[in-house]
Amino acid sequence: MTDEPAEHQEALERNDIRHGVVHDTDRAAGIVSRGAAAGIDVAIVATLMGACYLGLLLVRLAINFTPHWSWVSAILTTTGFLALSVVYLFACWAISGRTAGSAIMGLRVVGVRGQHLRPTQALLRSLICVGFAVGLGWCAVDSRRRSVADILARTRVVYSR
């Protein structure tokens, strides 16, 4: 017999514990950690957008040599930022359930029963999060720490070890 606790020994016998496997907890993430993760993700998308915009500007300068700002550019920049945000969130959540911000903060988006997100759930959640970002604030008053996107897309954000 080993000196390990009985629960740990049983888990080893069932082969539930594997080296390097990430396990999620059932504890729902709160507004502070989710807000910090969202802030990191916004900074990443803004950096990507800025790099794309700078590249297009350099191409435009190479062709015309007369840069100018117009309202059309502002609309395209805003639309591009929103579209890039949806694509970024959708891809991250559909592939791993984590964005860069949530990985840094130790969070993961899962289905209501803890399962991996379906692509339709990931797309719906990303559209809601970008289109109604203020809905994140609802998790501060909800007893189960759910945002509007969590309620509508039937997801949860949990701490991940």
Side-chain angles (χ1 to χ4, degrees), residues 114-134:
Q115 75 276 20
H116 188 73
L117 290 185
R118 295 185 316 268
T120 53
Q121 274 182 305
L123 180 61
L124 177 63
R125 191 172 200 285
S126 64
L127 289 168
I128 295 167
C129 286
V130 171
F132 190 64
V134 74

PDB file of all heavy atoms in Angstrom, residues 114-134:
ATOM      1  N   GLY A 114     -19.910  20.563 -19.464  1.00  0.00           N
ATOM      2  CA  GLY A 114     -18.457  20.468 -19.442  1.00  0.00           C
ATOM      3  C   GLY A 114     -17.835  19.928 -20.717  1.00  0.00           C
ATOM      4  O   GLY A 114     -16.629  19.738 -20.786  1.00  0.00           O
ATOM      5  N   GLN A 115     -18.629  19.699 -21.732  1.00  0.00           N
ATOM      6  CA  GLN A 115     -18.127  19.139 -22.980  1.00  0.00           C
ATOM      7  C   GLN A 115     -17.506  20.233 -23.868  1.00  0.00           C
ATOM      8  O   GLN A 115     -17.728  21.410 -23.664  1.00  0.00           O
ATOM      9  CB  GLN A 115     -19.241  18.404 -23.743  1.00  0.00           C
ATOM     10  CG  GLN A 115     -20.261  19.307 -24.429  1.00  0.00           C
ATOM     11  CD  GLN A 115     -21.389  19.797 -23.539  1.00  0.00           C
ATOM     12  OE1 GLN A 115     -21.287  19.790 -22.320  1.00  0.00           O
ATOM     13  NE2 GLN A 115     -22.457  20.249 -24.153  1.00  0.00           N
ATOM     14  N   HIS A 116     -16.751  19.801 -24.857  1.00  0.00           N
ATOM     15  CA  HIS A 116     -16.144  20.711 -25.830  1.00  0.00           C
ATOM     16  C   HIS A 116     -17.255  21.417 -26.617  1.00  0.00           C
ATOM     17  O   HIS A 116     -18.297  20.822 -26.893  1.00  0.00           O
ATOM     18  CB  HIS A 116     -15.252  19.880 -26.766  1.00  0.00           C
ATOM     19  CG  HIS A 116     -14.419  20.689 -27.687  1.00  0.00           C
ATOM     20  ND1 HIS A 116     -13.326  21.401 -27.259  1.00  0.00           N
ATOM     21  CD2 HIS A 116     -14.518  20.915 -29.013  1.00  0.00           C
ATOM     22  CE1 HIS A 116     -12.788  22.021 -28.290  1.00  0.00           C
ATOM     23  NE2 HIS A 116     -13.494  21.739 -29.360  1.00  0.00           N
ATOM     24  N   LEU A 117     -17.038  22.671 -26.996  1.00  0.00           N
ATOM     25  CA  LEU A 117     -18.068  23.425 -27.727  1.00  0.00           C
ATOM     26  C   LEU A 117     -18.253  22.890 -29.142  1.00  0.00           C
ATOM     27  O   LEU A 117     -17.283  22.543 -29.817  1.00  0.00           O
ATOM     28  CB  LEU A 117     -17.681  24.900 -27.835  1.00  0.00           C
ATOM     29  CG  LEU A 117     -17.700  25.736 -26.574  1.00  0.00           C
ATOM     30  CD1 LEU A 117     -17.407  27.192 -26.929  1.00  0.00           C
ATOM     31  CD2 LEU A 117     -19.019  25.641 -25.864  1.00  0.00           C
ATOM     32  N   ARG A 118     -19.494  22.863 -29.581  1.00  0.00           N
ATOM     33  CA  ARG A 118     -19.779  22.554 -30.982  1.00  0.00           C
ATOM     34  C   ARG A 118     -19.481  23.813 -31.799  1.00  0.00           C
ATOM     35  O   ARG A 118     -19.553  24.932 -31.274  1.00  0.00           O
ATOM     36  CB  ARG A 118     -21.247  22.157 -31.146  1.00  0.00           C
ATOM     37  CG  ARG A 118     -21.610  20.872 -30.430  1.00  0.00           C
ATOM     38  CD  ARG A 118     -23.054  20.437 -30.716  1.00  0.00           C
ATOM     39  NE  ARG A 118     -24.023  21.524 -30.655  1.00  0.00           N
ATOM     40  CZ  ARG A 118     -24.709  21.874 -29.572  1.00  0.00           C
ATOM     41  NH1 ARG A 118     -24.519  21.234 -28.432  1.00  0.00           N
ATOM     42  NH2 ARG A 118     -25.578  22.863 -29.611  1.00  0.00           N
ATOM     43  N   PRO A 119     -19.155  23.698 -33.080  1.00  0.00           N
ATOM     44  CA  PRO A 119     -18.867  24.882 -33.897  1.00  0.00           C
ATOM     45  C   PRO A 119     -20.013  25.892 -33.921  1.00  0.00           C
ATOM     46  O   PRO A 119     -19.777  27.099 -33.898  1.00  0.00           O
ATOM     47  CB  PRO A 119     -18.610  24.304 -35.292  1.00  0.00           C
ATOM     48  CG  PRO A 119     -18.118  22.922 -35.031  1.00  0.00           C
ATOM     49  CD  PRO A 119     -18.868  22.456 -33.805  1.00  0.00           C
ATOM     50  N   THR A 120     -21.264  25.413 -33.933  1.00  0.00           N
ATOM     51  CA  THR A 120     -22.389  26.352 -33.931  1.00  0.00           C
ATOM     52  C   THR A 120     -22.454  27.130 -32.625  1.00  0.00           C
ATOM     53  O   THR A 120     -22.768  28.321 -32.628  1.00  0.00           O
ATOM     54  CB  THR A 120     -23.720  25.622 -34.171  1.00  0.00           C
ATOM     55  OG1 THR A 120     -23.849  24.551 -33.235  1.00  0.00           O
ATOM     56  CG2 THR A 120     -23.806  25.075 -35.580  1.00  0.00           C
ATOM     57  N   GLN A 121     -22.151  26.470 -31.513  1.00  0.00           N
ATOM     58  CA  GLN A 121     -22.118  27.157 -30.217  1.00  0.00           C
ATOM     59  C   GLN A 121     -21.015  28.202 -30.202  1.00  0.00           C
ATOM     60  O   GLN A 121     -21.215  29.317 -29.719  1.00  0.00           O
ATOM     61  CB  GLN A 121     -21.842  26.169 -29.077  1.00  0.00           C
ATOM     62  CG  GLN A 121     -23.037  25.488 -28.513  1.00  0.00           C
ATOM     63  CD  GLN A 121     -22.631  24.581 -27.366  1.00  0.00           C
ATOM     64  OE1 GLN A 121     -21.782  23.714 -27.527  1.00  0.00           O
ATOM     65  NE2 GLN A 121     -23.235  24.790 -26.221  1.00  0.00           N
ATOM     66  N   ALA A 122     -19.847  27.831 -30.720  1.00  0.00           N
ATOM     67  CA  ALA A 122     -18.713  28.756 -30.738  1.00  0.00           C
ATOM     68  C   ALA A 122     -19.028  29.974 -31.610  1.00  0.00           C
ATOM     69  O   ALA A 122     -18.711  31.115 -31.236  1.00  0.00           O
ATOM     70  CB  ALA A 122     -17.454  28.054 -31.245  1.00  0.00           C
ATOM     71  N   LEU A 123     -19.666  29.756 -32.767  1.00  0.00           N
ATOM     72  CA  LEU A 123     -20.011  30.870 -33.646  1.00  0.00           C
ATOM     73  C   LEU A 123     -21.072  31.767 -33.000  1.00  0.00           C
ATOM     74  O   LEU A 123     -20.926  32.997 -33.003  1.00  0.00           O
ATOM     75  CB  LEU A 123     -20.503  30.356 -34.994  1.00  0.00           C
ATOM     76  CG  LEU A 123     -20.898  31.427 -36.010  1.00  0.00           C
ATOM     77  CD1 LEU A 123     -19.699  32.320 -36.334  1.00  0.00           C
ATOM     78  CD2 LEU A 123     -21.448  30.800 -37.269  1.00  0.00           C
ATOM     79  N   LEU A 124     -22.109  31.175 -32.445  1.00  0.00           N
ATOM     80  CA  LEU A 124     -23.156  31.957 -31.788  1.00  0.00           C
ATOM     81  C   LEU A 124     -22.581  32.770 -30.635  1.00  0.00           C
ATOM     82  O   LEU A 124     -22.857  33.956 -30.497  1.00  0.00           O
ATOM     83  CB  LEU A 124     -24.275  31.040 -31.289  1.00  0.00           C
ATOM     84  CG  LEU A 124     -25.407  31.721 -30.516  1.00  0.00           C
ATOM     85  CD1 LEU A 124     -26.139  32.721 -31.412  1.00  0.00           C
ATOM     86  CD2 LEU A 124     -26.372  30.684 -29.964  1.00  0.00           C
ATOM     87  N   ARG A 125     -21.747  32.138 -29.830  1.00  0.00           N
ATOM     88  CA  ARG A 125     -21.155  32.826 -28.680  1.00  0.00           C
ATOM     89  C   ARG A 125     -20.254  33.971 -29.127  1.00  0.00           C
ATOM     90  O   ARG A 125     -20.258  35.048 -28.544  1.00  0.00           O
ATOM     91  CB  ARG A 125     -20.369  31.833 -27.825  1.00  0.00           C
ATOM     92  CG  ARG A 125     -19.956  32.406 -26.499  1.00  0.00           C
ATOM     93  CD  ARG A 125     -19.350  31.319 -25.612  1.00  0.00           C
ATOM     94  NE  ARG A 125     -19.375  31.697 -24.225  1.00  0.00           N
ATOM     95  CZ  ARG A 125     -18.552  32.599 -23.695  1.00  0.00           C
ATOM     96  NH1 ARG A 125     -17.652  33.197 -24.430  1.00  0.00           N
ATOM     97  NH2 ARG A 125     -18.642  32.897 -22.406  1.00  0.00           N
ATOM     98  N   SER A 126     -19.476  33.762 -30.184  1.00  0.00           N
ATOM     99  CA  SER A 126     -18.593  34.831 -30.663  1.00  0.00           C
ATOM    100  C   SER A 126     -19.392  36.001 -31.231  1.00  0.00           C
ATOM    101  O   SER A 126     -19.038  37.161 -31.005  1.00  0.00           O
ATOM    102  CB  SER A 126     -17.597  34.301 -31.695  1.00  0.00           C
ATOM    103  OG  SER A 126     -18.249  33.842 -32.850  1.00  0.00           O
ATOM    104  N   LEU A 127     -20.474  35.736 -31.943  1.00  0.00           N
ATOM    105  CA  LEU A 127     -21.321  36.812 -32.471  1.00  0.00           C
ATOM    106  C   LEU A 127     -21.960  37.614 -31.344  1.00  0.00           C
ATOM    107  O   LEU A 127     -22.018  38.848 -31.401  1.00  0.00           O
ATOM    108  CB  LEU A 127     -22.398  36.241 -33.395  1.00  0.00           C
ATOM    109  CG  LEU A 127     -21.917  35.720 -34.749  1.00  0.00           C
ATOM    110  CD1 LEU A 127     -23.016  34.931 -35.442  1.00  0.00           C
ATOM    111  CD2 LEU A 127     -21.429  36.862 -35.621  1.00  0.00           C
ATOM    112  N   ILE A 128     -22.430  36.921 -30.312  1.00  0.00           N
ATOM    113  CA  ILE A 128     -23.057  37.614 -29.183  1.00  0.00           C
ATOM    114  C   ILE A 128     -22.019  38.432 -28.420  1.00  0.00           C
ATOM    115  O   ILE A 128     -22.267  39.583 -28.048  1.00  0.00           O
ATOM    116  CB  ILE A 128     -23.758  36.609 -28.244  1.00  0.00           C
ATOM    117  CG1 ILE A 128     -24.929  35.943 -28.965  1.00  0.00           C
ATOM    118  CG2 ILE A 128     -24.238  37.298 -26.974  1.00  0.00           C
ATOM    119  CD1 ILE A 128     -25.491  34.733 -28.253  1.00  0.00           C
ATOM    120  N   CYS A 129     -20.841  37.842 -28.180  1.00  0.00           N
ATOM    121  CA  CYS A 129     -19.801  38.553 -27.419  1.00  0.00           C
ATOM    122  C   CYS A 129     -19.331  39.811 -28.129  1.00  0.00           C
ATOM    123  O   CYS A 129     -19.069  40.829 -27.493  1.00  0.00           O
ATOM    124  CB  CYS A 129     -18.622  37.629 -27.153  1.00  0.00           C
ATOM    125  SG  CYS A 129     -18.970  36.392 -25.890  1.00  0.00           S
ATOM    126  N   VAL A 130     -19.215  39.765 -29.447  1.00  0.00           N
ATOM    127  CA  VAL A 130     -18.777  40.948 -30.195  1.00  0.00           C
ATOM    128  C   VAL A 130     -19.920  41.942 -30.356  1.00  0.00           C
ATOM    129  O   VAL A 130     -19.742  43.142 -30.170  1.00  0.00           O
ATOM    130  CB  VAL A 130     -18.199  40.534 -31.573  1.00  0.00           C
ATOM    131  CG1 VAL A 130     -17.947  41.743 -32.448  1.00  0.00           C
ATOM    132  CG2 VAL A 130     -16.913  39.736 -31.379  1.00  0.00           C
ATOM    133  N   GLY A 131     -21.106  41.452 -30.661  1.00  0.00           N
ATOM    134  CA  GLY A 131     -22.238  42.341 -30.894  1.00  0.00           C
ATOM    135  C   GLY A 131     -22.837  42.941 -29.635  1.00  0.00           C
ATOM    136  O   GLY A 131     -23.419  44.023 -29.665  1.00  0.00           O
ATOM    137  N   PHE A 132     -22.708  42.244 -28.516  1.00  0.00           N
ATOM    138  CA  PHE A 132     -23.293  42.702 -27.259  1.00  0.00           C
ATOM    139  C   PHE A 132     -22.280  42.484 -26.141  1.00  0.00           C
ATOM    140  O   PHE A 132     -22.503  41.726 -25.196  1.00  0.00           O
ATOM    141  CB  PHE A 132     -24.607  41.945 -26.983  1.00  0.00           C
ATOM    142  CG  PHE A 132     -25.412  42.491 -25.856  1.00  0.00           C
ATOM    143  CD1 PHE A 132     -25.951  43.769 -25.910  1.00  0.00           C
ATOM    144  CD2 PHE A 132     -25.646  41.727 -24.728  1.00  0.00           C
ATOM    145  CE1 PHE A 132     -26.708  44.275 -24.863  1.00  0.00           C
ATOM    146  CE2 PHE A 132     -26.399  42.217 -23.670  1.00  0.00           C
ATOM    147  CZ  PHE A 132     -26.929  43.502 -23.739  1.00  0.00           C
ATOM    148  N   ALA A 133     -21.145  43.162 -26.249  1.00  0.00           N
ATOM    149  CA  ALA A 133     -20.033  42.972 -25.320  1.00  0.00           C
ATOM    150  C   ALA A 133     -20.402  43.322 -23.885  1.00  0.00           C
ATOM    151  O   ALA A 133     -19.879  42.729 -22.936  1.00  0.00           O
ATOM    152  CB  ALA A 133     -18.827  43.789 -25.771  1.00  0.00           C
ATOM    153  N   VAL A 134     -21.319  44.253 -23.714  1.00  0.00           N
ATOM    154  CA  VAL A 134     -21.729  44.655 -22.369  1.00  0.00           C
ATOM    155  C   VAL A 134     -22.437  43.517 -21.634  1.00  0.00           C
ATOM    156  O   VAL A 134     -22.558  43.535 -20.417  1.00  0.00           O
ATOM    157  CB  VAL A 134     -22.598  45.931 -22.432  1.00  0.00           C
ATOM    158  CG1 VAL A 134     -23.983  45.622 -22.954  1.00  0.00           C
ATOM    159  CG2 VAL A 134     -22.655  46.617 -21.100  1.00  0.00           C
TER     160      VAL A 134
END
